[in-house]
Amino acid sequence: MSSIGTGYDLSASTFSPDGRVFQVEYAMKAVENSSTAIGIRCKDGIVFGVEKLVLSKLYEEGSNKRIFNIDRHVGMAVAGLLADARSLAEVAREEASNFRSNYGHDIPLKHLSDRVAMYVHAYTLYSAVRPFGCSFILGSYDKDDGAQLYMVDPSGISYGYWGCAIGKAKQAAKTEIEKLQVRRLYSRQKQKLKLIYIVHDEVKDKAFELELSWVGDVTNGRHELVPKDVKEEAEKYAKVRLYETECSEFYNSCETAGPPASMLGVRSVLQVVCGKRCCRRSTWTCFLFQDSLEEEDDSDEDNM
Amino acid sequence: MEKHYTDSKVKGVSTGTTILAAIFDGGVVIGSDSRASMGGEYVSSKTINKVIQVHDRIFCCMAGSLADAQAVIKSAKSHLSFHSVQMESPPLVIAAASVLKELCYKNKDELQAGFLTAGWDSKKGAQVYVVSLGGMLISQQVTIGGSGSTYIYGYVDAKYKPNMTREECLQFATNALALAMGRDNVSGGVAHLVVITGKGVEHVVVPGDKLPRFHDE
């Protein structure tokens, strides 16, 4: 999708001859450079997961949030230019608050997402301002209307989703979400956690912090960060399952490649197949697990 | 609840009035008398309708200065209709009541209008809200207003029961209005009643001669 605008891309108020507004497309590229955020709509709530890349060892855990509370019952996960995202979160908060003040009840999510999308769209009309360089996912839960999930991108479009992903690994994440059959899931199920770990592979060794939040029956309709113990349990589960999946991939590739001549051979095959995902784990451990993988049964994922 | 509008300082047409709304099992009845008076002496209209529809299943009764009330309702009606199209769903009764409340509260220095809002929505079912003169908004099961309401507090307190049937509630409302109109000189005429349920809206008009009579009439 990359093409050079050459003269038609200097301002958002100019169309190119083939009918594109390049500034808006460049804004969407800014989102694609950011780390991934996903949102999943389950039967009884919404779960957000954001992969926050840790750029420095001095970084304070838990600060620099990418998931915002917009209203009691609405949460927002962002990707892209964080400063733009924060100002949009403020806009969304004011919309929700004014709505409640005027109409006496919680703002329905579709309406909120339409209003914020209109605001985002307004910045794509003029040359004096630049479009917002962030996409965000809004999610809410209401006893009567159930769970809802909407995504807004820099062009000012908002769509409802069962599951969506934004950021650099969004294609991989979307594939995994489609595999999950999200409509059948409940918020507590841990598959969603695994998603972030799977799509993190691009960034290899870089450490990342996972920010998780949910809103649903389980939180009585309030949007909150997932409590530490639930998060840790889910992370452990995700790491184990991911590890097993990678080992089975390695095992399968070993089968096709033929029995390795030596341990050194094993290690090199391992590195080729699993990439640096396995760097954190000892190659020996991986080899030991090989035999137990025949019993591995992926279908019990559905029972969680 | 409402001040007496027989005060001669009040200019123009005002409603000495009786309005009421009551929830029954599955819906709500809202009703009023039909007299508009000037200065407490002259009946300027015998058949005014004080029950106004602001949306498909939401009705309002006006109290206070008729001019102010009509102006507020006109603005609220247009606002609500836009709101409902934007939301792609019928407005909630609380939304209608909140719109009226904002108008009454923000303009309390200029306006003298209060409302009873009654309606049905799919989220909370039948509801009744009272927006008083200064812009207070509260929700109640049964409520009365206007100058004639002072004469029927006892009746309403004694005779209202939650979860009545539609017929019982209609009878209760008719009796209450008749009693108030019988004692308040600025309330009278016919009894306008509207029954709102999830299935639809029904207007019932009880003309003067069909109103229930009590022992001394």
Side-chain angles (χ1 to χ4, degrees):
Chain A
M1 251 272 272
S2 74
S3 85
I4 300 165
T6 327
Y8 300 107
D9 61 348
L10 295 175
S11 87
S13 63
T14 313
F15 275 102
S16 75
D18 52 347
R20 294 154 72 177
V21 181
F22 280 104
Q23 278 297 306
V24 173
E25 293 185 18
Y26 296 161
M28 300 209 244
K29 285 209 189 108
V31 177
E32 279 165 35
N33 288 337
S34 134
S35 61
T36 322
I38 61 166
I40 299 190
R41 174 181 164 183
C42 328
K43 268 195 214 158
D44 66 337
I46 305 281
V47 179
F48 285 123
V50 177
E51 166 204 24
K52 278 193 325 207
L53 294 178
V54 173
L55 297 168
S56 148
K57 292 203 173 78
L58 297 173
Y59 167 73
E60 182 195 340
E61 231 184 70
S63 71
N64 222 37
K65 292 205 174 320
R66 282 178 51 187
I67 299 184
F68 303 99
N69 244 320
I70 302 303
D71 199 354
R72 288 190 298 226
H73 63 304
V74 179
M76 172 177 181
V78 305
L81 299 179
L82 274 197
D84 288 7
R86 288 205 183 115
S87 105
L88 279 174
E90 218 25 59
V91 166
R93 283 172 182 151
E94 276 170 25
E95 279 293 334
S97 163
N98 282 337
F99 186 94
R100 179 180 275 112
S101 164
N102 287 331
Y103 299 108
H105 65 95
D106 293 350
I107 188 168
L109 192 68
K110 175 161 200 326
H111 188 71
L112 175 64
S113 108
D114 281 347
R115 298 284 296 180
V116 186
M118 258 199 285
Y119 187 89
V120 169
H121 169 253
Y123 282 73
T124 66
L125 297 170
Y126 309 105
S127 59
V129 294
R130 65 162 175 82
F132 284 96
C134 62
S135 287
F136 49 94
I137 312 175
L138 287 164
S140 87
Y141 178 76
D142 175 70
K143 245 193 305 84
D144 304 303
D145 306 321
Q148 315 231 16
L149 191 72
Y150 284 86
M151 199 257 282
V152 178
D153 68 12
S155 64
I157 292 187
S158 112
Y159 285 122
Y161 287 92
W162 287 98
C164 67
I166 46 182
K168 55 169 65 121
K170 74 170 190 234
Q171 273 310 113
K174 279 192 184 144
T175 320
E176 293 296 326
I177 293 176
E178 277 160 27
K179 281 194 220 160
L180 270 186
Q181 287 185 296
V182 283
R183 288 175 222 216
R184 294 194 302 119
L185 292 180
Y186 289 93
S187 309
R188 284 196 161 266
Q189 285 168 300
K190 303 182 186 72
Q191 284 86 327
K192 291 166 269 305
L193 239 310
K194 197 171 77 145
L195 272 173
I196 291 281
Y197 278 84
I198 290 174
V199 302
H200 177 65
D201 59 1
E202 277 307 296
V203 203
K204 302 175 198 104
D205 281 350
K206 288 209 188 112
F208 73 101
E209 190 193 329
L210 180 64
E211 203 177 324
L212 268 189
S213 79
W214 56 5
V215 56
D217 245 351
V218 62
T219 63
N220 272 327
R222 294 186 108 89
H223 175 252
E224 303 168 341
L225 288 179
V226 171
K228 208 151 181 252
D229 52 340
V230 176
K231 184 176 168 199
E232 278 167 12
E233 192 198 322
E235 276 184 308
K236 244 190 297 182
Y237 166 83
K239 284 181 179 149
V240 165
R241 297 303 279 192
L242 187 61
Y243 183 37
E244 288 173 358
T245 321
E246 288 168 358
C247 286
S248 85
E249 279 172 17
F250 162 70
Y251 181 62
N252 291 335
S253 77
C254 269
E255 282 230 308
T256 50
S262 67
M263 283 307 156
L264 218 53
V266 168
R267 194 173 300 155
S268 63
V269 172
L270 193 76
Q271 278 173 345
V272 163
V273 165
C274 298
K276 297 189 191 131
R277 273 177 293 184
C278 283
C279 264
R280 283 176 290 171
R281 306 174 195 81
S282 100
T283 52
W284 291 102
T285 333
C286 195
F287 190 73
L288 281 169
F289 266 103
Q290 204 180 244
D291 289 330
S292 69
L293 288 171
E294 278 168 293
E295 288 96 64
E296 184 186 71
D297 184 9
D298 270 326
S299 68
D300 63 74
E301 273 178 36
D302 295 332
N303 295 336
M304 290 301 296
Chain B
M1 264 183 56
E2 307 288 341
K3 293 198 192 124
H4 275 260
Y5 289 100
T6 50
D7 187 353
S8 55
K9 290 203 197 104
V10 175
K11 295 204 176 78
V13 177
S14 81
T15 54
T17 187
T18 312
I19 50 179
L20 72 74
I23 295 181
F24 63 90
D25 183 21
V28 58
V29 168
I30 182 168
S32 76
D33 72 311
S34 68
R35 179 174 292 179
S37 61
M38 279 170 75
E41 293 167 347
Y42 170 65
V43 176
S44 53
S45 170
K46 293 186 255 188
T47 52
I48 191 172
N49 184 11
K50 298 173 197 170
V51 183
I52 310 288
Q53 183 166 28
V54 290
H55 206 263
D56 294 353
R57 298 263 199 285
I58 307 178
F59 283 76
C60 268
C61 267
M62 321 187 267
S65 152
L66 258 183
D68 289 350
Q70 281 189 349
V72 170
I73 287 213
K74 184 171 173 204
S75 164
K77 214 167 156 179
S78 106
H79 189 155
L80 262 182
S81 137
F82 181 69
H83 172 71
S84 156
V85 168
Q86 254 189 340
M87 310 293 285
E88 294 171 12
S89 71
L92 299 185
V93 187
I94 178 94
S98 299
V99 166
L100 287 166
K101 178 257 294 177
E102 284 292 298
L103 286 164
C104 289
Y105 183 74
K106 296 236 161 84
N107 299 297
K108 60 158 73 184
D109 294 340
E110 281 91 25
L111 293 173
Q112 259 187 338
F115 302 93
L116 295 191
T117 311
W120 186 94
D121 64 47
S122 53
K123 203 161 171 166
K124 290 206 218 152
Q127 297 145 75
V128 168
Y129 293 94
V130 183
V131 177
S132 72
L133 240 50
M136 173 187 76
L137 170 66
I138 58 172
S139 164
Q140 292 193 292
Q141 291 282 305
V142 62
T143 185
I144 52 181
S147 60
S149 67
T150 52
Y151 305 105
I152 51 171
Y153 274 106
Y155 179 77
V156 168
D157 288 346
K159 288 295 181 179
Y160 177 76
K161 294 185 318 281
N163 294 320
M164 288 190 277
T165 67
R166 183 183 171 282
E167 283 62 38
E168 283 174 347
C169 195
L170 260 177
Q171 190 59 53
F172 160 79
T174 318
N175 286 349
L177 283 173
L179 284 166
M181 294 194 285
R183 288 293 182 180
D184 186 22
N185 68 326
V186 286
S187 299
V190 308
H192 285 289
L193 292 161
V194 177
V195 183
I196 311 166
T197 62
K199 298 197 187 74
V201 161
E202 192 199 330
H203 293 262
V204 176
V205 175
V206 186
D209 56 344
K210 301 275 190 330
L211 281 173
R213 286 162 197 260
F214 300 96
H215 70 96
D216 53 353
E217 293 178 88

